[in-house]
């Protein structure tokens, strides 16, 4: 039986994908084989020797020590695209809020209603012009990051009658195929900055993207641009942003990542991290995370890992070996040589790499002797060997 520890409340729809005859699931599980997590911090988490995989029910993995996981042979999964529709819808709402001052207008109406002797209907006729703003129709939207969320945002913005520019230095073939052909994909983000009336960011937060939207970016933008950030707070340089707001270069900033400093600015609309906060999104993420974890533990297959390559093989043979190792020359030859020495036929094999790490799945025609497995584990640069019968 596999033991799965939950560090947050995980949707029951997702947990139902883990057969209780094969999986023990709960927050009190010990010596866990896998972890299901949403936002719980794991950087100080003590790995059990049995821990093989962590599945994050969401896209970002900033709460997980990915590098340390890789060193210990622990696969880290996320759920890209599972919350994409929820975020897409909130982006449209954020652009409308940035344009029309809907929130400010609604608050003002409440103030009138609670002011003695004020006729609200009459006050609205006189005061509504203070909250007017432009339409999205025929305006230009710039989308930074064209993954699952960015592609949906691009396509729905076209349906709203917007002209859309997209930028993604790591645009994959699959992502490109999701984009409507009318999206202008640019190679230089500055071209997007110069044209966009609205900009929305959908990129991962890491050291390369930290403060990506900073002084140089704001200098390249059109005056009066409206900026939406539902990605991560750190991709925007707050000090540069506040200066741009004060100077009128940026008209409004809508963010899902409030700070004390940001909320003091009258041109900032700050939401409490609502991007994926829908029941549908939470269910989709939980289902995807549970299925990734199950397939890896039961079959050794990897899909949507942030630290290891995607590797999938239909089961064949009498035994499957899962070998996580460093991505260096001749590793595959060393692995197969050991198996050949034992006279075991390799029925099927897949080997792929991602950065400094690689993963090899081997289906064998017969079970290998324990001594061969021990020799395999002792191979230089092999991090973890798992056997699935």
């Amino acid at each position: 039986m596999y033991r799965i520890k939950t560090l947050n409340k995980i949707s029951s729809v997702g947990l139902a994908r883990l057969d209780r005859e094969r999986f023990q699931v709960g927050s009190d599980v010990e010596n866990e084989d896998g972890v299901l997590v949403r936002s719980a911090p794991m950087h100080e988490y003590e790995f059990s020797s049995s821990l093989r995989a962590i599945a994050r029910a969401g896209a970002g993995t900033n709460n997980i020590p990915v590098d340390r996981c890789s060193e210990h042979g622990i696969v880290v999964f996320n759920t890209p695209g599972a919350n994409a529709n929820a975020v897409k819808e909130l982006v449209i709402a954020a652009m409308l809020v940035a344009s029309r001052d809907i929130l400010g207008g609604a608050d003002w109406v409440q103030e009138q209603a609670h002011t003695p002797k004020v006729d609200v209907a009459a006050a609205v006729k006189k005061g509504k012009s203070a909250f007017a703003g432009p339409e999205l129709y025929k305006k230009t939207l710039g989308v930074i990051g064209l993954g699952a969320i960015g592609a949906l945002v691009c396509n729905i913005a076209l349906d709203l009658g917007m002209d859309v520019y997209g930028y993604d230095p790591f645009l994959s073939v699959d992502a490109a195929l999701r984009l409507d052909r009318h999206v202008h994909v640019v190679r230089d983000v500055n071209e997007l900055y110069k044209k966009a009336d609205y900009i929305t960011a959908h990129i991962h937060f890491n050291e390369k993207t930290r403060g990506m939207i900073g002084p140089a970016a704001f200098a390249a933008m059109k005056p009066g641009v409206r900026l939406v950030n539902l990605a991560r707070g750190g991709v925007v340089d707050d000090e540069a942003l506040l200066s741009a707001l004060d100077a009128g270069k940026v008209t409004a900033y809508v963010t899902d990542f409030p700070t004390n400093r940001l909320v003091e600015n009258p041109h900032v609309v700050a939401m409490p991290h609502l991007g994926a906060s829908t029941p549908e999104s939470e269910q989709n993420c939980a289902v995807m995370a549970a299925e990734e974890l199950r397939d890896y533990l039961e079959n050794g297959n990897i899909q949507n890992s942030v630290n290891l390559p995607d590797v999938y093989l239909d089961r064949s043979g009498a035994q499957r070996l899962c070998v996580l190792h460093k991505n260096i020359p001749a590793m595959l030859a060393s692995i197969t040589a050991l198996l050949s020495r034992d006279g075991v036929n390799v029925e099927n094999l897949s080997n792929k790499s991602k950065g400094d790490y690689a993963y090899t799945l081997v289906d064998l025609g017969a079970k290998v002797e324990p001594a061969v497995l021990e020799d395999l584990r002792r191979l230089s640069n092999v991090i973890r060997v798992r056997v699935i019968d």
Side-chain angles (χ1 to χ4, degrees), residues 10 19 22 29 41 73-74 86 92 95-96 100 115 148 160 165 174 201 216 219 239 245 257-258 324 356 358 365 380:
I10 305 295
D19 185 349
R22 292 182 58 80
V29 168
I74 298 168
I92 300 305
M95 289 198 295
L96 291 169
R100 307 287 294 272
T115 301
L160 293 172
Y165 282 74
D174 288 343
E239 292 303 317
L245 287 167
F257 310 98
L324 197 162
D356 294 332
S380 180

Side-chain angles (χ1 to χ4, degrees), residues 131-298:
F131 307 99
E135 299 178 9
L136 303 182
Y137 183 61
K138 290 191 175 181
K139 302 301 188 303
T140 299
L141 172 65
V143 181
I144 302 174
L146 301 175
I149 297 170
L152 288 179
V153 171
C154 286
N155 295 344
I156 197 170
L158 289 172
D159 292 338
L160 293 172
M162 303 186 80
D163 194 21
V164 181
Y165 282 74
Y167 169 78
D168 192 330
F170 307 107
L171 183 63
S172 67
V173 173
D174 288 343
L177 291 173
R178 289 195 295 263
L179 288 172
D180 187 287
R181 64 185 179 87
H182 295 98
V183 176
H184 309 287
V185 179
V186 298
R187 295 179 180 272
D188 184 351
V189 70
N190 288 305
E191 184 178 348
L192 179 153
Y193 289 146
K194 291 174 184 177
K195 295 180 180 294
D197 303 298
Y198 299 79
I199 295 172
T200 179
H202 302 287
I203 52 179
H204 292 295
F205 175 59
N206 52 44
E207 286 308 310
K208 291 183 179 179
T209 60
R210 182 187 297 275
M212 175 182 173
I213 302 177
F218 289 118
M221 292 178 191
K222 290 174 63 174
V225 66
R226 290 168 166 84
L227 178 62
V228 175
N229 178 18
L230 304 187
R232 280 292 182 270
V235 303
V236 175
D237 182 328
D238 284 355
E239 292 303 317
L241 166 72
L242 291 168
S243 295
L245 287 167
D246 291 341
K249 188 65 179 283
V250 177
T251 298
Y253 177 56
V254 183
T255 180
D256 222 8
F257 310 98
T259 66
N260 288 21
R261 188 82 190 281
L262 287 176
V263 298
E264 293 174 355
N265 191 292
H267 305 293
V268 172
V269 176
M271 300 179 294
H273 205 164
L274 295 177
S277 295
T278 67
E280 297 88 349
S281 174
E282 290 180 6
Q283 289 177 10
N284 292 341
C285 289
V287 167
M288 191 180 226
E291 289 181 344
E292 291 165 349
L293 202 57
R294 182 187 66 195
D295 196 21
Y296 178 66
L297 293 175
E298 291 185 337

Side-chain angles (χ1 to χ4, degrees), residues 107-131:
D107 288 342
W108 178 79
V109 169
Q110 287 295 318
E111 290 174 9
Q112 306 312 302
H114 291 86
T115 301
K117 299 182 180 179
V118 169
D119 182 334
V120 173
V124 165
K125 288 182 180 180
K126 293 180 180 179
K128 66 179 182 179
S129 61
F131 307 99

